[in-house]
């Protein structure tokens, strides 16, 4: 990796010709155009395959090209014609591969054969599937169930995920952390308390009826670009979009639809955001409190003057609880505190509040900018409070819209991937399979890391993902990982987590979702749940990278056979499931009839079939049967880390438009105008001078945490950037060594990657 980067502001809209060029380049480099001409036409289509990129909703009437630049890159990356087998590994030791960058590792192509780590030569050597499972089973059978972790990244299908959670529970634990633990877990913890569902209430149709949109901490142009179609349509109707983000993100500023000839031939681009508020990282609770205060005080004034109410009084009276407390807190909060904590001005917040008050149907969209904070749960609840004030939940054109990350991360939770036993249908599993599911709390991402550090976790099974790079405290965790007795990695591409072996380590290559999956009953389909709670079928269309690959359901079933006592394994029809995934769907429907009845028939419904979301009908599945206002505990981002020292900066970690999480397609960040290197920090010019540096200087970044552990990332280059003073941005995963494991959201335990306390030090020569 290099830090010989340069910057070049990106003057163009998101989408547009730049996007078309990038899509072509991505397909070409990976040799995809030659592999199957019409493949991309099947992306996100009924009877086609669901994109392996983000989880944004797939419309019932898709565009001919229902994909975006990011999705095309993800597709090209998965079905690349590059591949590696045993030869590759005979040439490289793990020690050598550990010196490669994330980009270099994945770009060698698809894994094709099952591999066993040979400690004597420090190389992966080819093994047979049978030998691999025999050895893995021999390790797992005698282990204490509590010492084994079953991680999953949010890409695996509903079918695979259901089988995986059942295998883990039959093995004897609820140790099912998933990528959601680092992502939208704050949402899943926040919303059941406020509106009684763990997911959003908005569907695509709502975008057509909304008359105002509020956007918090989500980078739509890069991370869910297909949503730009809904936003563009909404903007063409003239509705206001108000954005809260410390960075002025290209996709949130303007968009040219690469699928519209008119947009491409004329310079006409759509302005997306009508009011852009560059909130300080971690300042959203304060900003939202400002909005709520403005609305509540305007309502007080309207009542005093006998004018029409500003708030939706009948809704507040008939549907909610906790309003008086919350309103009292809002009135009591000073504008001084709000302005200081959000770094936004009162006048701007009042303007935004007025726009909100004029609208009848408001959607609140959010992403990692709210969830990955010490007060991530509270941030989400503040957005919910704000929407409830005018009854903007549970009516058409309005609602709360968390934008999920991985393409099936929401669905995994729906079919039982959770470490929280109370969220899994344990009684039903007991009835359906005749075993006693474990009732104790399992490990989440943070507690699994703690277990790795204290040695209580002895085996780590990864269904996809790149845990070592995605998790916090990289430099602390990596050495601990080496103490594992067993590491089993099920993956499509080589990554860092595969290169830090335990005593016994296997790397098992699987089919991707875009590939044709042939089993005994013929070609199989799988299913996923999108961000709006709609379930879609997905059928692979590309020839597999190798005929030695196995599907994820087949691997999970073989794992179950290897690790479970035979009589326990016999309690579920694993072999029949692998032969025909429709049988897994029947089992899912039996476990969750309300959501998945007639699963096989409904999965190809255009636009997907939606799971019941009672809050969308104003039925509140909360303990008191009402929607709850929750008064925030504090507006300070992190009282624990409050430091009087003014050389401590608040770092937020970001993704570029050339990455999917830890998968780095290339080193450019076109939309932000950063080229040729990710080892940079985006810093306000005033801070650069104030701290005695010059633009372009190399710095070492030191973590500032009360635990006394030295955390560092060395040799980052300072780039003067339009970011609020006191905040700096750096790339994930490169900056993860600076993120302390203990610095995570209250209640949800999502690592607080959007506010890391750091100091900059002149780079050691
Ligand atoms: N192409 C592509 N698509 C992806 C991914 C990818 O890596 N690449 N990842 C997928 C996954 S798993 C996820 S979870 C999603 C992530 O998608 P997002 O939710 O968009 O997450 P991030 O890119 O981490 O950053 C979100 C935005 O929050 C802003 N931000 C940072 N701190 C704050 C804050 O304190 N307040 C506010 N208001 N804003 C803040 C940042 O400037 C950035 O614009 O995308 C998914 N889709
Ligand atoms: N500092 C900081 N840290 C963060 C974040 C942040 O914003 N800042 N974001 C967090 C978030 S939101 C998330 S979701 C996590 C992501 O954490 P993970 O989900 O663990 O990581 P990914 O980078 O998505 O995983 C990529 C790997 O998945 C494997 N893979 C790809 N497709 C498949 C497939 O079809 N099957 C299988 N079995 N394997 C496959 C490939 O081998 C690839 O190398 O990171 C979190 N970490
Ligand atoms: Mo995510």
């Amino acid at each position: 990796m290099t830090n010989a980067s340069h910057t070049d502001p990106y003057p163009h809209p998101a989408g547009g010709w730049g996007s078309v060029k990038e899509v072509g380049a991505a397909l070409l480099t990976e040799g995809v155009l030659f592999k199957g001409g019409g493949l991309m036409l099947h992306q996100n289509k009924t009877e086609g395959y669901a994109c392996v990129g983000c989880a944004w909703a797939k419309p019932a009437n898709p565009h001919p090209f229902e994909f975006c630049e990011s999705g095309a890159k993800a597709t090209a990356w998965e079905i690349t014609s590059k591949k590696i087998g045993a030869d590759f590994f005979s040439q490289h030791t793990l020690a050598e591969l550990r010196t490669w960058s994330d980009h270099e590792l994945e770009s060698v192509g698809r894994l094709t054969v099952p591999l066993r780590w040979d400690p004597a030569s420090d190389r992966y050597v080819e093994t047979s599937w049978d030998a691999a499972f025999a050895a893995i089973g021999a390790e797992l059978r005698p282990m204490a169930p509590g010492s084994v972790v079953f991680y999953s990244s949010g890409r695996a299908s509903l079918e695979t995920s259901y089988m995986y959670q059942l295998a883990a529970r039959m093995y004897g634990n609820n140790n099912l952390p998933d990528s959601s633990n680092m992502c939208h877990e704050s949402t899943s913890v926040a919303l059941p308390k406020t509106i009684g569902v763990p997911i959003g209430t908005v569907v695509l149709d709502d975008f057509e009826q909304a008359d105002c949109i509020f956007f918090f901490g989500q980078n739509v142009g890069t991370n869910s670009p297909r949503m730009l179609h809904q936003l563009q349509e909404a903007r063409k109707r003239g509705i206001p979009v108000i954005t809260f983000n410390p960075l002025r993100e290209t996709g949130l500023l303007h968009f040219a639809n690469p699928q519209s000839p008119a947009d491409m031939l004329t310079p006409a681009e759509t302005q997306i955001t009508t009011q852009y508020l560059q909130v300080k990282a971690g300042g959203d609770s304060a900003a939202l409190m400002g909005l709520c205060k403005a609305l509540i005080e305007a309502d007080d004034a309207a009542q005093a003057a006998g004018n029409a109410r500003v708030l939706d009084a009948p809704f507040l009276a008939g549907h909610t609880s906790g309003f008086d407390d919350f309103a009292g807190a809002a009135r009591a909060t000073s504008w001084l505190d709000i302005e200081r904590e959000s770094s936004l001005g009162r006048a701007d917040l009042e303007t935004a509040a007025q726009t909100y008050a004029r609208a009848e149907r408001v959607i609140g969209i959010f992403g990692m900018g709210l969830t990955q904070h010490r007060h991530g749960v509270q941030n989400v609840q503040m957005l919910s409070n704000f929407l409830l004030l005018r009854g903007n939940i549970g009516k058409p054109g309005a609602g709360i819209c968390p934008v999920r990350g991985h393409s099936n991360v929401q669905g995994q939770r729906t079919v039982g991937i959770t470490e929280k036993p109370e969220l899994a249908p344990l009684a039903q599993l007991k009835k359906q399979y005749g075993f006693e599911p474990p009732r104790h709390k399992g490990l989440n991402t943070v507690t699994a890391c703690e277990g790795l550090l204290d040695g209580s976790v002895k085996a780590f099974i990864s269904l996809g993902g790149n845990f070592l790079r995605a998790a916090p405290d990289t430099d602390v965790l990596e050495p601990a990982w080496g103490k594992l007795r067993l590491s089993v990695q099920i993956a499509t591409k080589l990554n860092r987590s595969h290169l830090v072996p335990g005593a016994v380590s296997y790397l098992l290559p699987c089919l991707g979702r875009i590939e044709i999956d042939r089993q005994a009953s013929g070609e199989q389909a799988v299913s996923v749940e999108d961000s709006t709670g709609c379930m879609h079928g997905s059928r692979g269309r590309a020839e597999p990278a190798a005929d030695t690959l196995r599907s994820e359901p087949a691997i999970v079933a073989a794992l179950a056979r290897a690790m479970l006592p035979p009589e326990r394994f016999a309690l579920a029809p694993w072999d029949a499931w692998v032969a025909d995934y429709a049988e897994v769907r029947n089992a899912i429907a039996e476990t969750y009839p309300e959501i998945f009845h007639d699963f096989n028939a409904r999965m190809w419904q255009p636009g997907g079939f939606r799971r019941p979301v009672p809050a969308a009908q104003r039925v509140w599945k909360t303990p008191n049967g009402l929607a709850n206002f929750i008064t925030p505990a504090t507006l300070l981002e992190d009282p624990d880390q409050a430091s009087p020292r003014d050389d401590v900066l608040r770092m937020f970690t970001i993704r570029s438009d050339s990455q999917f999480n830890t998968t780095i397609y290339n080193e450019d960040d076109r939309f932000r105008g950063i080229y040729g290197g990710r080892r940079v920090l985006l810093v306000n010019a005033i801070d650069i001078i104030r701290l005695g540096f010059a633009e372009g200087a190399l710095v070492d970044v030191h973590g500032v945490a009360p635990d006394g552990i030295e955390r560092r990332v060395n040799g980052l280059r300072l780039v003067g950037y339009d970011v609020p003073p006191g905040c700096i941005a750096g790339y994930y995963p490169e900056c993860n060594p600076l993120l302390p494991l203990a610095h995570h959201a209250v209640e949800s335990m999502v690592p607080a990657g959007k506010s890391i306390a750091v100091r900059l030090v002149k780079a050691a020569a």
Side-chain angles (χ1 to χ4, degrees):
M1 196 174 302
T2 162
N3 60 20
S5 58
H6 66 280
T7 47
D8 191 0
Y10 188 71
H12 313 293
W17 287 114
S19 185
V20 172
K21 210 169 103 195
E22 283 277 309
V23 169
L27 295 174
L28 262 177
T29 348
E30 300 303 321
V32 170
L33 283 186
F34 307 106
K35 194 163 172 172
L39 181 72
M40 294 295 297
L41 291 173
H42 297 291
Q43 191 150 315
N44 298 323
K45 298 286 176 53
T46 308
E47 287 293 336
Y49 60 90
C51 181
V52 294
C54 81
W56 186 238
K58 296 140 187 70
N61 301 305
H63 297 82
F65 301 93
E66 188 60 40
F67 60 87
C68 65
E69 174 182 336
S70 300
K73 284 178 182 165
T75 300
W77 203 248
E78 174 168 313
I79 55 157
T80 176
S81 49
K82 298 173 187 163
K83 48 190 91 163
I84 49 172
D87 286 2
F88 172 86
F89 291 98
S90 69
Q91 289 158 27
H92 305 282
T93 61
L94 266 53
E96 184 212 329
L97 291 170
R98 281 197 295 271
T99 66
W100 293 24
S101 70
D102 296 315
H103 168 75
E104 288 164 333
L105 290 173
E106 286 210 26
S107 40
V108 292
R110 288 287 297 278
L111 296 162
T112 55
V113 293
L115 299 159
R116 173 182 65 83
W117 178 59
D118 172 40
S121 64
D122 187 31
R123 288 181 169 81
Y124 273 119
V125 293
E126 184 170 355
T127 180
S128 70
W129 284 102
D130 286 349
F133 285 117
I136 292 166
E139 290 292 329
L140 288 175
R141 280 192 307 271
M143 274 189 194
S147 64
V148 180
V149 170
F150 297 90
Y151 173 70
S152 44
S153 165
R155 194 174 286 197
S157 65
L158 292 168
E159 291 79 356
T160 306
S161 303
Y162 179 82
M163 292 169 69
Y164 194 59
Q165 62 84 30
L166 184 65
R169 295 197 161 102
M170 284 189 167
Y171 181 70
N173 71 38
N174 287 303
N175 291 347
L176 289 156
D178 75 346
S179 58
S180 179
N181 286 142
M182 302 180 246
C183 187
H184 266 292
E185 187 64 13
S186 298
T187 306
S188 312
V189 170
L191 293 184
K193 296 186 178 148
T194 61
I195 58 169
V197 289
I199 61 168
T201 63
V202 163
V203 286
L204 284 180
D205 285 349
D206 290 316
F207 281 82
E208 291 169 20
Q209 298 176 56
D211 55 12
C212 178
I213 295 175
F214 273 73
F215 232 100
F216 288 86
Q218 203 273 334
N219 188 10
V220 58
T222 297
N223 296 335
S224 55
R226 287 181 299 107
M227 190 205 283
L228 285 169
H229 295 300
Q230 282 83 47
L231 293 178
Q232 192 187 35
E233 288 302 315
R235 285 290 302 126
K236 283 189 171 154
R237 290 190 286 114
I239 80 165
V241 175
I242 296 156
T243 295
F244 291 77
N245 196 309
L247 297 180
R248 292 178 62 79
E249 303 281 28
T250 296
L252 287 160
L253 292 168
H254 39 213
F255 172 60
N257 187 345
Q259 305 182 358
S260 151
D263 281 9
M264 297 302 279
L265 295 175
T266 63
E269 61 197 39
T270 312
Q271 182 206 359
I272 298 290
T273 297
T274 50
Q275 188 187 5
Y276 212 109
L277 294 153
Q278 279 182 274
V279 64
K280 179 160 88 178
D284 298 273
S285 274
L288 279 155
M289 189 55 111
L291 296 171
C292 294
K293 179 181 174 69
L295 289 161
I296 289 164
E297 290 182 352
D299 188 65
D300 292 344
Q303 285 191 81
N307 292 336
R309 297 283 302 262
V310 174
L311 306 183
D312 184 341
F315 176 80
L316 293 177
H319 283 278
T320 71
S321 162
F323 170 72
D324 290 342
D325 260 11
F326 177 69
R331 291 186 196 103
T333 307
S334 76
W335 279 108
L336 208 64
D337 286 346
I338 290 169
E339 292 188 325
R340 189 189 59 243
E341 291 312 315
S342 66
S343 85
L344 298 173
R346 173 178 178 172
D348 287 336
L349 288 168
E350 284 177 341
T351 304
Q354 283 154 13
T355 311
Y356 174 84
R358 279 194 296 273
E360 290 304 318
R361 291 174 292 279
V362 182
I363 293 179
I365 301 174
F366 68 99
M368 298 299 101
L370 289 197
T371 63
Q372 291 177 335
H373 280 290
R374 187 93 177 108
H375 291 291
V377 173
Q378 174 185 298
N379 286 339
V380 176
Q381 291 174 337
M382 277 302 296
L383 178 56
S384 169
N385 292 339
F386 172 62
L387 291 168
L388 289 175
L389 286 179
R390 282 181 48 85
N392 278 309
I393 296 188
K395 67 181 174 191
I400 192 157
C401 181
V403 186
R404 300 277 167 167
H406 273 294
S407 50
N408 192 38
V409 66
Q410 186 166 311
Q412 293 192 334
R413 280 276 190 263
T414 307
V415 295
I417 301 268
T418 172
E419 76 285 0
K420 296 174 183 160
E422 67 277 17
L423 298 183
L426 299 184
Q428 174 58 29
L429 293 177
K430 177 178 177 181
K431 186 165 145 231
Q432 206 168 327
Y433 299 104
F435 76 110
E436 197 57 61
R439 306 268 158 180
H440 50 271
K441 197 171 169 47
L443 299 173
N444 60 29
T445 290
V446 167
T447 53
C449 290
E450 288 167 356
L452 280 162
L453 293 172
D454 69 21
S456 58
V457 166
K458 308 243 184 285
F460 202 99
I461 323 284
S462 254
L463 180 60
N466 187 2
F467 190 80
L468 265 186
R469 295 294 280 162
D473 253 337
T474 321
D475 294 341
V476 178
L477 215 58
E478 266 204 26
W481 192 270
K483 291 186 284 185
L484 280 173
R485 172 67 202 170
L486 175 71
S487 165
V488 179
Q489 303 283 328
I490 303 159
T492 51
K493 292 260 184 114
L494 187 61
N495 67 43
R496 179 87 187 179
S497 302
H498 311 153
L499 301 175
V500 184
V504 176
S505 297
Y506 284 85
L507 176 50
L508 306 177
C510 65
L511 287 174
R513 191 156 72 225
I514 304 171
E515 291 171 315
I516 301 169
D517 181 351
R518 298 183 176 92
Q519 303 294 345
S521 70
E523 290 182 9
Q524 301 300 309
V526 294
S527 53
V528 297
E529 175 177 344
D530 71 28
S531 264
T532 62
C534 295
M535 315 290 167
H536 305 264
S538 172
R539 199 181 284 289
R541 295 281 179 164
E543 275 304 317
D547 56 15
T548 36
L549 298 179
R550 286 202 182 171
S551 75
E552 288 180 327
I555 293 172
V556 172
L559 179 69
R561 182 190 294 278
M563 71 182 183
L564 299 177
E567 62 285 0
R568 185 136 293 190
F569 176 76
L571 296 176
W574 303 91
D575 294 331
W577 281 347
V578 175
D580 184 356
Y581 301 172
E583 295 299 327
V584 191
R585 289 186 286 274
N586 287 334
I588 295 175
E590 192 180 337
T591 308
Y592 304 91
E594 222 194 318
I595 302 176
F596 290 106
H597 63 88
D598 304 311
F599 194 176
N600 282 300
R602 291 195 297 157
M603 68 190 278
W604 300 112
Q605 191 171 305
F609 70 86
R610 193 180 189 204
R611 62 187 268 192
V613 183
Q617 276 75 47
R618 295 197 168 171
V619 174
W620 316 104
K621 298 276 186 192
T622 51
N624 60 3
L626 293 168
N628 289 300
F629 281 89
I630 298 190
T631 304
T634 169
L635 297 183
L636 292 180
E637 158 57 14
D638 187 0
D640 302 349
Q641 286 204 346
S643 160
R645 295 169 50 175
D646 59 9
D647 62 342
V648 175
L649 299 168
R650 191 178 282 176
M651 168 191 263
F652 58 100
T653 50
I654 52 173
R655 299 163 159 77
S656 77
D657 79 312
S658 303
Q659 80 184 82
F660 193 93
N661 298 338
T662 71
T663 296
I664 312 297
Y665 305 127
N666 65 51
E667 303 254 309
D668 296 338
D669 190 355
R670 194 170 101 249
F671 289 162
R672 298 200 185 97
I674 312 263
Y675 291 93
R678 297 167 50 87
R679 298 190 66 83
V680 297
L681 286 179
L682 313 187
V683 191
N684 187 294
I686 292 170
D687 282 328
I688 297 185
I689 295 165
R690 182 175 69 86
L691 297 169
F693 296 107
E695 162 111 35
L698 281 187
V699 297
D700 295 343
V701 190
H702 293 208
V704 181
D707 60 10
I709 297 178
E710 189 177 290
R711 297 184 175 83
R712 280 188 183 205
V713 171
N714 289 343
L716 299 189
R717 199 171 59 75
L718 297 183
V719 175
Y721 209 83
D722 184 2
V723 37
C727 299
I728 61 175
Y731 287 110
Y732 145 66
E734 288 80 353
C735 290
N736 282 32
L738 296 165
L739 175 53
L741 183 59
H743 182 52
H744 52 69
V746 186
E747 298 179 85
S748 69
M749 295 184 93
V750 170
K754 296 292 186 269
S755 63
I756 310 174
V758 297
R759 274 186 319 119
L760 307 185
V761 178
K762 191 169 179 296

